[in-house]
């Protein structure tokens, strides 16, 4: 197929990507939007395969079949709680693909080493660099999310200095690679290696509660990497689609940062490193049994559930919904308060509740619930920790100070469902547990809720 | 000239991306992100060109591995997004428990 036709088809697919993304913006049209975007991808792949440049299909076919199988199997198997890890891994594979494409572009016809224009060389370096950082950064994010690595901030002494050094070396190697054609070979290897190292260094110091920011940032990087690869091989569809994803990722990153009252640079360069400085919380904890919890809930006329990642881990979302329905049948007004960064990626909690068929209209955003939290009889905190921590409001020394939270401590009664007194993902103490109106319901969230439900049914 | 023209495309796409995403409700952030992630697999087009254009054995290898990873990203990304979105849809017709 000649280049004009291929270019024309690329324009159509770009329009489909844009339209698909637009439709992903509303729950009613999202499924269709995703479908449109996937068809666009299929068309782009097919038309590229028909290009005159493609003379050998063997390796393409093998790699495609293998990639499809692995992608499909993992997508089918993954649990909804494991979604952030999955997205991190997919991000990483997109990143490494862009790195490899950039690398392969060095062998373009008419070019070979040294025959390429400086502009192309720069874009090749960029696609390798961004792709490499995305790849190892995503792997570290994945390891942290799946708790193969400690979830805390893993900074070591001199960390920032080392990162700067690596960055400086990267710049030097890149410049040499672009201006001295004879050095391209060894410099490519150096740039690849250094960008992989930089990816690790960039994500290692970011810990705990900042993970949703990192995931969306890496998502943005994977788009930018594809975009840079597009420049390297002069391909418009890569540039358009990559830039769309890059911009989308930045927007989401920004939303996450605002939700946590943190600046992007703060997340990137300091992370959750402040420890020990926070005021030590002490006080008396008031445990409660499921029987007593039932009595209070039965008398309540408004109940707010505050789900967190702990709920998802305990697979308690179904019992939560069941309890919600029983409370409603009992005449109480039930809602679910969703903190924007509850869970481990943006909007994660909504997906988990959707999995349990929690009705849409009962999900309430943080600001709306905080406006009427004082009139709520019972707030049930299920596996959430940091997003309800009053220290964010009151303790200026706390690492999460300034983060907007759901003010459950203003509710008439608070139940906190917890296994033990351990702190949350960010490792910060929680004064909520010692509050006057707080009752701790210790044990596995699922089992605790099930016994409350049993009381309701008897 | 190429540079200018590609730069224009880049600038317009970035603005478009900002416009498209900034009004999306937080409910849809996870599916949106994984859907966008699947789109970033567009790098498969570049991978196919590298793997099939006979640029020498090394480029073919690099391209083939890139095709593999990009394909994982594309297929996995779209499928997982669809799975999530179907959960959002399900509840208005049948509020049945699954597990």
């Amino acid at each position: 197929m000649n280049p004009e036709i291929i270019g024309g088809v690329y324009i159509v697919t770009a329009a489909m990507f844009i339209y698909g993304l637009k439709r992903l913006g509303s729950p009613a049209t999202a499924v269709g939007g995703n479908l449109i975007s996937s068809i666009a991808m299929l068309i782009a792949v097919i038309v590229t395969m028909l290009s005159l440049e493609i003379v050998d299909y063997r390796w393409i076919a093998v790699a495609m079949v293998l990639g499809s199988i692995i992608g499909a199997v993992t997508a089918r198997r993954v649990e909804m709680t494991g979604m952030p890890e999955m997205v991190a891994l997919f991000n990483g594979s997109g990143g490494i693909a862009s790195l490899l494409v950039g690398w392969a572009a060095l062998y373009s016809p008419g070019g070979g080493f040294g025959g390429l224009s400086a502009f192309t060389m720069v874009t090749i370096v960029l696609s390798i660099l961004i792709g490499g950082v995305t790849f190892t950064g995503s792997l570290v994010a994945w390891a942290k999310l799946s708790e193969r690595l400690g979830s805390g901030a893993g900074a070591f002494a001199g960390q920032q200095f080392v990162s700067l050094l690596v960055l400086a070396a990267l710049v030097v190697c890149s410049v040499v690679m672009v201006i001295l054609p004879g050095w391209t070979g060894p410099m490519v290897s150096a740039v690849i290696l250094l960008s992989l190292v930089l990816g690790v260094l960039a994500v290692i110091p970011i810990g705990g509660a900042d993970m949703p920011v990192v995931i969306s940032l890496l998502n943005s990087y994977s788009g930018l990497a594809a975009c840079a690869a597009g420049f390297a091989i002069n391909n418009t569809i890569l540039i358009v689609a990559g830039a769309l994803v890059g911009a989308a990722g930045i927007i989401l990153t920004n939303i996450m940062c605002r939700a946590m009252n943190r600046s992007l640079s703060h997340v990137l360069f300091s992370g959750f490193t402040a420890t020990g400085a926070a005021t030590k919380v002490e006080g008396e904890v008031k445990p409660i049994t499921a029987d007593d919890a039932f009595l209070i809930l039965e008398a309540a006329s408004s109940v707010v559930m505050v789900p967190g990642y702990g709920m998802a881990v305990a697979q308690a979302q179904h019992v939560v919904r069941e309890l919600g329905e029983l409370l409603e049948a009992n005449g109480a007004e039930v809602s679910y308060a969703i903190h924007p960064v509850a869970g481990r990626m943006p909007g994660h909690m909504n997906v988990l509740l959707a999995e349990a068929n929690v009705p849409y209209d009962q999900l309430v955003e943080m600001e709306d619930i905080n406006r009427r939290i004082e009139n709520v009889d019972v707030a049930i905190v299920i596996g959430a920790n940091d997003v309800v921590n009053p220290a964010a409001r009151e303790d200026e020394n706390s690492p999460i100070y300034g983060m907007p939270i759901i003010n459950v401590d203003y509710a008439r009664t608070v139940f906190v469902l917890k296994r033990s007194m351990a702190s949350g993902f960010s490792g910060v103490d929680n004064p909520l547990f010692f509050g006057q109106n707080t009752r701790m319901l210790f044990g596995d969230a699922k089992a605790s809720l099930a016994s409350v439900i049993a009381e309701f049914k008897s | 000239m190429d540079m200018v023209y590609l730069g224009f495309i880049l600038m317009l796409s970035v603005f478009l991306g900002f416009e498209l995403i900034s009004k999306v409700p937080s409910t849809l952030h996870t599916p949106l992100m994984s859907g966008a992630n699947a789109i970033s697999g567009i790098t498969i087009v570049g991978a196919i060109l590298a793997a099939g254009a006979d640029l020498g054995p090394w480029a073919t290898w690099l391209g083939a591995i890139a095709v593999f990873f990009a394909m994982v990203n594309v297929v996995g990304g779209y499928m997982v997004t669809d799975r999530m979105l179907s959960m959002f849809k399900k509840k208005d017709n049948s509020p049945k428990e699954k597990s």
Side-chain angles (χ1 to χ4, degrees):
Chain A
M1 221 184 274
N2 73 36
E4 277 75 22
I5 297 179
I6 292 178
V9 176
Y10 281 165
I11 292 176
V12 174
T13 57
M16 288 172 76
F17 280 134
I18 293 164
Y19 188 57
L21 267 180
K22 186 173 162 55
R23 292 184 74 88
L24 265 176
S26 148
T29 55
V31 176
N34 191 48
L35 190 68
I36 291 171
S37 144
S38 64
I39 293 171
M41 186 66 75
L42 184 68
I43 296 175
V45 166
I46 290 173
V47 80
T48 309
M49 299 264 256
L50 297 176
S51 154
L52 293 176
E53 288 176 47
I54 305 296
V55 291
D56 186 351
Y57 291 92
R58 283 169 304 168
W59 290 113
I60 298 176
V62 173
M64 272 191 162
V65 171
L66 285 178
S68 308
I69 292 172
I70 290 186
V73 169
T74 42
R76 276 197 176 281
R77 288 215 179 141
V78 63
E79 303 251 354
M80 286 302 136
T81 42
M83 201 52 71
E85 290 98 299
M86 176 94 294
V87 171
L89 281 185
F90 286 158
N91 264 336
S93 62
I96 187 78
S98 296
L99 181 153
L100 293 167
V101 170
W103 191 359
L106 282 174
Y107 301 85
S108 311
F113 279 17
L116 295 164
S117 71
F119 175 68
T120 307
M121 287 299 282
V122 170
T123 57
I124 286 177
V125 169
L126 278 177
S127 62
I128 290 177
L129 201 164
I130 306 175
V133 170
T134 310
F135 177 56
T136 48
S138 299
L139 288 186
V140 174
W142 166 78
K144 285 196 169 206
L145 287 165
S146 57
E147 291 177 39
R148 282 169 173 81
L149 269 179
S151 65
F156 52 86
Q159 150 99 37
Q160 296 199 335
F161 180 71
V162 175
S163 303
L164 272 179
L165 213 65
V166 170
L167 193 62
L170 247 177
V171 172
V172 171
C173 292
S174 308
V175 171
V176 172
M177 179 176 158
V178 173
I179 58 175
L180 296 176
W183 284 75
T184 303
M187 285 303 127
V188 174
S189 320
V191 170
I192 291 172
L193 198 71
L194 288 168
S195 55
L196 294 178
V197 173
L198 189 65
V200 175
L201 289 174
V203 179
I204 280 257
I206 305 174
D210 284 331
M211 238 41 221
V213 179
V214 177
I215 297 288
S216 47
L217 193 66
L218 286 168
N219 191 39
S220 172
Y221 286 174
S222 73
L224 295 178
C227 184
F231 274 101
I233 61 170
N234 245 319
N235 189 302
T236 46
I237 189 68
L238 260 72
I239 297 175
V240 174
L244 286 175
V245 178
I250 293 281
I251 285 277
L252 284 176
T253 309
N254 194 24
I255 292 173
M256 287 301 105
C257 282
R258 245 184 312 167
M260 301 167 75
N261 190 32
R262 298 159 82 66
S263 72
L264 184 55
S265 64
H266 186 82
V267 172
L268 289 183
F269 299 117
S270 76
F272 253 44
T273 47
T275 43
T279 317
K280 195 81 192 126
V281 218
E282 275 169 353
E284 202 184 334
V285 172
K286 293 181 267 317
I288 191 176
T289 59
D291 305 1
D292 296 336
F294 161 70
L295 292 175
I296 298 174
L297 281 174
E298 203 193 16
S301 64
S302 61
V303 178
V304 172
M305 312 262 199
V306 186
Y309 188 73
M311 174 204 77
V313 173
Q315 286 290 315
Q317 59 269 49
H318 299 283
V319 276
V320 168
R321 192 215 3 112
E322 206 185 338
L323 178 62
E325 282 171 358
L326 286 168
L327 287 167
E328 276 205 309
N330 192 39
E333 186 200 339
V334 178
S335 45
Y336 298 79
I338 314 288
H339 191 278
V341 295
R344 292 189 182 175
M345 68 187 289
H348 193 195
M349 201 48 61
N350 301 81
V351 172
L352 295 169
L353 291 176
E355 189 194 10
N357 286 311
V358 169
Y360 232 58
D361 43 18
Q362 289 185 6
L363 303 189
V364 190
E365 291 189 19
M366 177 174 63
E367 287 126 48
D368 297 330
I369 198 68
N370 276 346
R371 233 171 272 145
R372 54 186 169 90
I373 193 87
E374 279 144 34
N375 302 320
V376 167
D377 288 329
V378 185
I380 309 179
V381 179
I382 313 145
N385 225 325
D386 302 326
V387 298
V388 293
N389 190 341
R393 216 173 43 222
E394 288 147 9
D395 180 7
E396 283 184 43
N397 296 320
S398 172
I400 59 170
Y401 180 72
M403 177 171 117
I405 55 160
I406 298 176
N407 296 320
V408 289
D409 51 327
Y410 292 167
R412 296 198 179 105
T413 309
V414 188
F415 290 167
V416 179
L417 273 64
K418 250 180 109 53
R419 252 173 225 286
S420 68
M421 288 300 291
S423 54
F425 199 52
S426 74
V428 182
D429 272 339
N430 196 337
L432 173 70
F433 303 157
F434 307 103
Q436 274 304 315
N437 51 349
T438 305
R439 300 288 177 276
M440 304 293 292
L441 192 48
F442 284 114
D444 175 72
K446 199 173 175 179
S448 305
L449 287 172
S451 41
V452 175
I453 289 171
E455 291 277 341
F456 258 103
K457 285 185 174 162
S458 64
Chain B
M1 188 54 216
D2 248 10
M3 209 192 313
V4 176
Y5 147 79
L6 295 177
F8 258 112
I9 293 180
L10 174 66
M11 181 205 60
L12 292 173
S13 314
V14 169
F15 271 98
L16 199 57
F18 282 139
E19 281 303 311
L20 284 174
I21 306 301
S22 47
K23 292 176 205 82
V24 175
S26 60
T27 303
L28 283 171
H29 280 167
T30 293
L32 177 78
M33 183 177 287
S34 96
N37 185 16
I39 296 180
S40 77
I42 188 68
T43 198
I44 188 149
V45 165
I48 290 171
L49 290 169
D54 200 18
L55 307 171
W58 190 231
T60 307
W61 271 108
L62 293 175
I65 303 171
V67 169
F68 168 78
F69 279 112
M71 204 66 193
V72 171
N73 190 359
V74 167
V75 173
Y78 280 120
M79 281 182 65
V80 105
T81 309
D82 192 62
R83 238 184 94 192
M84 277 191 272
L85 289 172
S86 60
M87 285 172 187
F88 282 94
K89 198 180 55 178
K90 198 172 52 187
K91 72 171 83 68
D92 7 29
N93 25 31
S94 72
K96 250 190 277 160
E97 200 171 338
K98 211 178 59 181
S99 62

